[in-house]
Amino acid sequence: MDGMSALFIFMLAAFTGYEVIARVPVILHTPLMSGSNFIHGVVLIGGMVVLGQTPSDDAVSLTIGFIAVLLGAANAAGGYVVTERMLAMFKSNKGAGGSGR
Amino acid sequence: MSTVIQFVYFLVAIAFIVGLKAMSSPATARRGVQWAGYAMLAAVLVTFYLPGMHNYGLMITAIVIGAAIAWYLGKTVKMTDMPQMVAIYNGMGGGAAAAIAAVEFLRQGAAHHASVGLLAALGAIIGAVAFSGSCVAFAKLQGLLKKTYQVPQQNNVVFFLALFTFGIGLTIGFSAQPGGLELMIFFLLALALGVLLTLPIGGADMPVVISLLNAFTGLAVGFEGYVLANPLLIVAGTVVGASGTLLTLLMAKAMNRSIRTVIFAPITGEAQETQGEVAGSLKEHSPDDAAATLRYAQKVIIVPGYGMAVAGAQHKVWEMAQLLEEAGVEVKFAIHPVAGRMPGHMNVLLAEAGVPYDKIFDLEEINAEFAQTDVALVIGANDVVNPAARTNKSSPIYGMPILNVDQAREVLVIKRGKGTGYSGIENELFYRDNCHMVYGSAQEVVARIIQRLKELEA
């Protein structure tokens, strides 16, 4: 990828990340941290790409790639379950966050 | 095929951002994580069809093992242990990013552009720091590691180690064929850096640290996305890096700590010794006395803390609150921003027990009400109600906003024993004239109070 356009993507994504959570109430700090923890579980895709493109006779790279996929999958799956469990607590709340201004 | 896959990645990136946005509002939060979850699933599925992929057996084995273990642990862990689960899963993401960098370093004949080498090295360091740092954070929150450790000249050592590690990283990133030994030293140093950074930090500051490490992992994933020329990783990683940084600042603000003081001037054990003598004595109440005091009050504010959560007493506490309300007592819950272990953690626990939102109040909303309150009932909280934070300049928690329970006409404190709070600081509140201690596990004490309340009604 051309370095300059990547720099633009970095810049726009950083502002997006900042804006998206700028007005989060305190009660959602922990669930939101957990949610963003789940989203960087997308590193699993990177691990799959790396492992999938490693020559089948390169044992060292295969091992490290395997670990990358293993850890990435744990990050994604664990992050999802934990976030979902935390947010399930908010289902009884029909009136959108009475306490968290 | 490749265009279709890239387009799916594009949609996934949108779903992540929209999902994150939805997660920052209570009404839509659950939907948000579900959208992001479907998006993640779609991304994984299309990745199998990328051109030039093989080793499917290994890949699927790794996914199944990693996901199954994490899923099981995530499902079964107690609600109170959630923060350390976030920490450990975050560490795994950082470890994965570092591992990706390692494979890229080893890749033979890869025509490395200078910026690729630079970002691979940066991502590797940040990812490794997030991994080992999160492991330390996990150990601290899980209670496996109870003390803080510091090397002499801590800040200088960390600074030069970081510089040195980055230097090695650069030589690796720019060399066509780095040696295995060089790589090993590089990663060991980066891992040591993460441990050194987190070991001196006290338990009370852990939430801020985990949030910071979360942002680190996001950044590392973004950098490795550039190395792999994968825009989805760049966007998702950078969004998490930026939002994680903002979230860290918000959390630190809620605790009245700056990031700089958390990382570079941790609360240490020595701080306790400089404190003055505490005047007064501890006065004990039995649960029966406490029940009567509560029953004949007009207005009660309950301040739950980590002790209540550990004892799993939130359901009992809510039952007690309902009994008091039936008897005509006004009951409110006051939540300190860092009650539990993390901002928002206590709200989740009370919501689990069925306490309605209109009974739960933030520190700013309720602090003025303590002066008109008959009884403030503190259950397993300590540092967040310590008046030293307001008055004692030498106290390590000086300046942290606290709940002003000492202004209530009477204060009842349910506590396991005479020990200090998570920060290890003596609490002068307990020695005040209007304060009575009720010793015992929150679960048992509250159960006894409930029983007594029922007898009083009969």
Side-chain angles (χ1 to χ4, degrees):
Chain A
M1 190 185 306
D2 142 43
M4 212 53 214
S5 42
L7 203 58
F8 274 95
I9 299 182
F10 273 126
M11 184 268 290
L12 288 172
F15 276 105
T16 307
Y18 192 89
E19 276 306 311
V20 152
I21 69 145
R23 275 180 297 278
V24 59
V26 173
I27 57 164
L28 281 176
H29 278 180
T30 301
L32 190 66
M33 171 164 73
S34 178
S36 58
N37 177 37
F38 161 63
I39 284 178
H40 68 53
V42 77
V43 70
L44 166 61
I45 306 296
M48 289 171 71
V49 170
V50 159
L51 179 60
Q53 292 174 350
T54 300
S56 299
D57 55 353
D58 184 351
V60 176
S61 290
L62 280 182
T63 311
I64 304 175
F66 184 83
I67 293 172
V69 175
L70 189 79
L71 293 177
N75 181 186
Y80 181 81
V81 174
V82 167
T83 312
E84 157 75 17
R85 269 186 70 191
M86 283 188 202
L87 291 176
M89 302 300 156
F90 290 86
K91 65 177 178 245
S92 58
N93 171 33
K94 296 181 188 78
S99 74
R101 282 169 298 275
Chain B
M1 194 62 208
S2 190
T3 321
V4 177
I5 293 174
Q6 292 303 326
F7 189 70
V8 172
Y9 281 167
F10 176 70
L11 294 179
V12 169
I14 294 178
F16 280 168
I17 293 171
V18 175
L20 203 58
K21 174 79 196 162
M23 270 186 256
S24 59
S25 164
T28 52
R30 200 173 179 206
R31 245 177 293 156
V33 71
Q34 285 165 348
W35 291 335
Y38 290 127
M40 186 75 78
L41 211 57
V44 170
L45 288 179
V46 297
T47 302
F48 283 112
Y49 293 98
L50 272 179
M53 296 281 275
H54 45 280
N55 303 324
Y56 286 112
L58 273 179
M59 210 184 291
I60 293 171
T61 312
I63 292 176
V64 169
I65 296 176
I69 293 176
W71 190 277
Y72 175 75
L73 289 178
K75 273 279 181 213
T76 49
V77 71
K78 280 185 301 190
M79 225 39 196
T80 43
D81 293 341
M82 284 297 189
Q84 50 265 50
M85 292 314 283
V86 175
I88 200 71
Y89 292 142
N90 172 54
M92 288 176 171
I100 290 171
V103 178
E104 285 299 310
F105 284 145
L106 286 170
R107 180 166 292 194
Q108 290 186 355
H112 273 183
H113 194 268
S115 58
V116 173
L118 172 69
L119 289 192
L122 267 181
I125 295 178
I126 299 174
V129 165
F131 176 75
S132 58
S134 297
C135 290
V136 173
F138 174 83
K140 288 204 172 187
L141 286 169
Q142 190 71 24
L144 303 172
L145 191 66
K146 292 203 174 70
K147 284 164 89 176
T148 59
Y149 299 91
Q150 212 166 359
V151 293
Q153 291 287 315
Q154 163 86 13
N155 292 347
N156 292 335
V157 170
V158 166
F159 177 76
F160 284 108
L161 182 62
L163 214 62
F164 184 59
T165 313
F166 184 56
I168 301 183
L170 280 186
T171 61
I172 292 176
F174 289 135
S175 67
Q177 185 74 66
L181 184 69
E182 203 182 354
L183 267 178
M184 207 106 80
I185 292 174
F186 169 66
F187 278 104
L188 283 178
L189 285 178
L191 290 171
L193 190 60
V195 174
L196 267 185
L197 268 173
T198 38
L199 266 185
I201 299 170
D205 285 329
M206 265 310 137
V208 179
V209 174
I210 295 175
S211 179
L212 189 67
L213 293 173
N214 188 40
F216 273 18
T217 305
L219 263 187
V221 171
F223 289 162
E224 297 313 325
Y226 178 74
V227 174
L228 297 173
N230 187 321
L232 173 61
L233 261 69
I234 299 183
V235 170
T238 312
V239 164
V240 171
S243 62
T245 307
L246 175 60
L247 195 58
T248 310
L249 293 172
L250 291 175
M251 280 188 180
K253 203 174 137 218
M255 301 167 73
N256 196 32
R257 309 270 292 150
S258 75
I259 303 295
R260 205 174 50 79
T261 47
V262 170
I263 305 291
F264 297 114
I267 295 178
T268 57
E270 293 131 49
Q272 311 165 30
E273 291 157 26
T274 63
Q275 283 184 94
E277 286 292 303
V278 184
S281 60
L282 291 168
K283 299 162 291 295
E284 200 175 330
H285 254 10
S286 71
D288 291 4
D289 296 332
T293 310
L294 290 166
R295 166 67 183 80
Y296 297 106
Q298 302 258 307
K299 181 172 178 180
V300 172
I301 297 181
I302 299 176
V303 179
Y306 189 67
M308 181 202 79
V310 165
Q314 55 267 38
H315 295 271
K316 282 259 175 278
V317 169
W318 174 225
E319 190 187 341
M320 175 187 73
Q322 283 170 306
L323 279 172
L324 287 171
E325 284 188 325
E326 279 163 28
V329 184
E330 184 187 356
V331 182
K332 288 182 175 178
F333 288 85
I335 310 269
H336 189 273
V338 294
R341 277 292 176 268
M342 292 196 172
H345 191 201
M346 189 55 68
N347 302 70
V348 171
L349 294 173
L350 287 182
E352 186 193 18
V355 181
Y357 282 96
D358 56 1
K359 301 231 175 289
I360 303 177
F361 295 88
D362 286 350
L363 179 127
E364 293 88 20
E365 291 174 312
I366 204 158
N367 242 353
E369 285 187 38
F370 280 106
Q372 295 98 46
T373 300
D374 299 308
V375 183
L377 176 63
V378 179
I379 308 177
N382 191 340
D383 295 331
V384 299
V385 295
N386 191 341
R390 254 191 341 242
T391 53
N392 184 353
K393 283 212 169 91
S394 66
S395 171
I397 59 167
Y398 177 73
M400 181 173 91
I402 58 154
L403 289 161
N404 298 328
V405 293
D406 54 324
Q407 293 170 358
R409 206 164 52 79
E410 176 146 20
V411 185
L412 290 173
V413 180
I414 300 177
K415 211 166 161 299
R416 275 197 79 84
K418 292 189 171 68
T420 54
Y422 209 37
S423 62
I425 305 158
E426 195 64 62
N427 193 340
E428 62 180 74
L429 168 75
F430 303 158
Y431 298 87
R432 298 262 170 112
D433 290 338
N434 62 342
C435 181
H436 287 90
M437 311 298 290
V438 188
Y439 289 116
S441 137
Q443 177 88 13
E444 288 159 22
V445 171
V446 176
R448 177 70 199 137
I449 291 178
I450 288 173
Q451 196 188 340
R452 186 69 191 146
L453 283 174
K454 283 178 178 160
E455 287 166 16
L456 285 170
E457 288 313 308

